[in-house]
DNA sequence: GCCGTTTTCGGCCCGACTGTTTTCAGTCG
């Protein structure tokens, strides 16, 4: 199996971090990190690009030297420069960098002066009081290190954005109504709709000082205050989530919101553009020779650089600034574009609510249609439907459609893809449905080749419409199964099949990176909630966000189409 | 090591907070 982009990127990140510890030119170090970031988020397989002899220097941040290194990695699986560095500087130093408060300079000091190579070495030295004697260190740093070593063992995890959402709401509710508070907004990766967040960045503007900062530090969920100043404080909550609050003057709100929304890569690209235009951007505004040009709104910050406003979901440093300069930013899909949901469950299998309740909830969301996709018989734990029970549900749906006003239920099924690539129900019943959603629910461990062929074979069935949660991953719980997604997308496009963007917050499958790939390949997609209750239909926004992160507009998403057009699309052959 | 409206050399984002310092380096986001 060829190396994945993310494995290649890891090698460059390792090389960069080790060279940083060695004191290498920081710009060279940054170049490797930049390349790693480009590689990790690139929608096409670099291994395949090398095999096809494509020019890698076309990629941003990849020049002659790094392109050559990538070729070597792809052909040999090794990066000789990294192996050279590892002879001098042990790989275990990278663990030390993960400790908060330890960066390359301090790790270098620890290694050269105390021969500290591992976390165990570090702990021993800290306990015996040798750290505080080092130049640039002191008793406080030593204590900090011991504290962080303990927490490090607990393993820091990233929170689902969905989990962080309720935390953010609670904190905002706590701060709202505070004297002097003007505006307040969550920025950071939360605002960019990343699937997980490492912390929450909250931004506030205040009139005449205000008491917001004090009120924030007094929030009942705070476990520990990590740092505090007049404009910026950090706390760790009892649930482990870190929250930062920044306070800026009202006239700087836009500049600060832009700045604290990031991403880091986006901001670097934006500031580089500003420097070229003789401007300086910071969180207080855009300046030319000390004169303030913009800052109150994000729109004017971008406009002062000759750019249209860029949606937060696009701000990942994937060429969005170049696209904005050339006026070719996509018109992103919006929640309101969706006319229906194509994946949900009822109490016939493992859902909580009855058909009618699901229909009413969909209608309340303004949908035109809702596909009922209960499980098929192989999924016995969910009491999956056999042909007879499915036929009965189809009759119920027909009867309900007679009665319902303003919403049409579609007869459908979430049918299991069996190990040999056949579907769990016979064609004679599938053909009577409006659509099928097809899923892999077992045999996750097959080789990439076998898993890919299993799915492609399933797509050969003329009644295969939508591939549900295509990679099977569960965030923080289960890895994606091995699969050649590029081949699957191409196969789906050729056969007129559709891939799902599953909006369940712990799935988000496809995710933003996959959506970029889908955009490039041109395969049709559906955004579906996979709701197991009427309330669950509300999670559509999470799927839409991933589509937006993948630069998608509504024309590639089938459930933005009116019913008649959708049904036509679903008829294959 | 990358890159080019400063174009093949000489730049490379910018500020807050902390701790160790007496004016600043390191880290972080």
């Amino acid at each position: 199996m060829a190396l994945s982009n993310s494995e290649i990127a890891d090698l460059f990140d390792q090389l960069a971090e080790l060279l940083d510890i060695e004191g290498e030119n920081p710009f060279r170090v940054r170049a490797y990190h930049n390349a790693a970031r480009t590689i990790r988020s690139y929608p096409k397989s670099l291994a395949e690009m090398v095999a096809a002899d494509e020019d890698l220097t076309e990629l941003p941040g990849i020049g002659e030297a790094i392109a050559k290194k990538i070729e070597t990695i792809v052909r040999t699986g090794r990066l000789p420069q990294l192996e050279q560095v590892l002879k001098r500087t042990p790989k275990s130093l990278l663990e030390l960098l993960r400790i908060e408060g330890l960066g390359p300079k301090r790790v270098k000091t620890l290694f050269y002066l105390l021969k500290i190579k591992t976390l165990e070495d570090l702990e021993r030295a800290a306990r015996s009081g040798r750290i505080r004697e080092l130049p640039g260190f002191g008793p406080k740093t030593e204590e900090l290190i011991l504290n962080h070593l303990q927490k490090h063992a607990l393993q820091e995890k990233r929170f689902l954005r969905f989990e962080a959402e309720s935390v953010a709401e609670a904190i905002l509710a706590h701060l709202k109504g505070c004297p002097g508070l003007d505006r307040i907004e969550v920025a950071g990766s939360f605002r960019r709709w990343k699937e997980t967040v490492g912390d929450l960045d909250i931004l506030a503007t205040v009139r005449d000082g205000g008491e917001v900062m004090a009120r924030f530090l007094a929030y009942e969920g705070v476990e520990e205050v990590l740092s505090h100043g007049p404009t910026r404080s950090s706390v760790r909550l009892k649930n482990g989530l870190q929250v930062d609050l920044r306070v800026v003057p009202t006239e700087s709100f836009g500049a600060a919101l832009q700045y604290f929304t990031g991403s880091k890569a986006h901001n670097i690209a934006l500031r580089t553009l500003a420097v070229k235009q003789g401007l300086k951007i910071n969180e207080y505004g855009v300046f030319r020779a000390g004169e303030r040009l913009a800052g109150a709104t994000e729109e004017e910050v971008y406009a002062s650089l000759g750019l249209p406003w860029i949606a937060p979901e696009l701000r990942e440093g994937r060429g969005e600034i170049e696209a904005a300069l050339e006026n070719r930013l996509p018109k992103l899909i919006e929640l309101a574009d969706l006319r229906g949901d194509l994946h949900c469950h009822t109490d016939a299998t493992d859902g909580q609510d009855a058909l009618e309740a699901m229909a009413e909830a969909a209608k309340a969301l303004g949908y035109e249609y809702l596909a009922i996709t209960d499980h098929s018989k192989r999924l016995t734990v969910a009491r999956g439907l056999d042909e007879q029970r499915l036929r009965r549900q189809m009759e119920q749906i027909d009867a309900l459609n007679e009665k319902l006003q303003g919403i049409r239920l579609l007869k459908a099924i979430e049918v299991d893809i069996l190990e040999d690539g056949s579907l769990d129900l016979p064609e004679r019943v599938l053909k009577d449905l409006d659509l099928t959603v097809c899923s892999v629910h077992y045999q996750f461990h097959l080789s990439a080749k076998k898993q890919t062929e299993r799915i492609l074979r399933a797509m050969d069935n003329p009644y295969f419409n939508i591939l549900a949660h295509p990679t099977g991953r569960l965030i923080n719980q289960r890895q994606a199964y091995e699969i050649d997604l590029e081949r699957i997308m191409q196969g789906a496009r050729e056969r007129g099949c559709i891939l799902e963007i599953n909006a369940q917050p712990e799935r988000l499958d496809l995710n933003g990176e996959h959506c970029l790939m889908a955009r490039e390949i041109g395969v049709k997609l559906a955004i579906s909630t996979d709701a197991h209750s009427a309330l669950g239909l509300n999670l559509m926004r999470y799927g839409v966000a991933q589509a937006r992160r993948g630069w998608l507009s509504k024309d590639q998403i089938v459930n933005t189409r009116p019913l008649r057009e959708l049904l036509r699309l679903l008829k294959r052959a």
Side-chain angles (χ1 to χ4, degrees), chain A residues 342 344 370-375 385 390 393-394 397 409-415 432-437:
Chain A
L342 298 180
C344 76
L370 174 70
I372 301 299
T373 58
D374 273 311
H375 288 289
L385 304 180
L390 176 57
Q393 185 184 61
M394 289 160 70
I397 290 175
L409 290 184
L410 300 179
K411 290 172 282 188
I413 183 92
E414 179 178 8
V415 60
D432 294 332
L433 295 166
D434 292 311
L435 73 122
T436 64
V437 171

Side-chain angles (χ1 to χ4, degrees), chain A residues 345-350 373-390 393 413-416 424-425 441:
Chain A
H345 298 271
T346 73
D347 57 6
T349 60
D350 59 352
T373 58
D374 273 311
H375 288 289
S376 66
K377 64 183 191 312
R378 198 211 64 84
L379 212 60
T380 49
V381 286
R383 296 186 303 121
L385 304 180
D386 58 16
E387 181 177 355
Q388 200 184 5
R389 285 176 65 211
L390 176 57
Q393 185 184 61
I413 183 92
E414 179 178 8
V415 60
D416 258 58
D424 188 31
L425 287 169
H441 282 134

Side-chain angles (χ1 to χ4, degrees), chain A residues 54-118:
Chain A
E54 288 180 52
D55 183 11
L56 299 177
T57 64
E58 294 289 309
L59 276 61
I62 311 267
E64 295 285 337
I66 292 182
K68 251 209 177 73
K69 289 182 173 68
I70 294 172
E71 283 172 33
T72 306
I73 293 170
V74 168
R75 293 194 209 287
T76 68
R78 297 164 48 193
L79 177 56
Q81 287 80 1
L82 178 59
E83 290 171 13
Q84 283 301 316
V85 175
L86 284 171
K87 283 182 192 162
R88 304 185 296 261
T89 307
K91 192 172 179 174
S92 56
L93 293 184
L94 299 180
E95 296 172 18
L96 303 185
L97 284 179
R98 304 281 98 85
I99 301 287
E100 273 185 67
L102 290 189
K105 300 288 189 303
R106 285 182 174 154
V107 168
K108 181 181 186 180
T109 304
L110 292 167
F111 178 53
Y112 285 102
L113 295 186
L114 289 183
K115 301 274 174 278
I116 289 172
K117 296 195 195 71
T118 65

Side-chain angles (χ1 to χ4, degrees), chain A residues 223-244:
Chain A
E223 166 89 10
E224 182 188 1
V225 175
L226 302 173
S227 74
H228 62 94
T231 70
R232 169 176 173 171
S233 296
S234 284
V235 302
R236 192 181 309 283
L237 300 181
K238 287 169 185 157
N239 65 10
L241 186 63
Q242 184 177 323
V243 185
D244 296 354

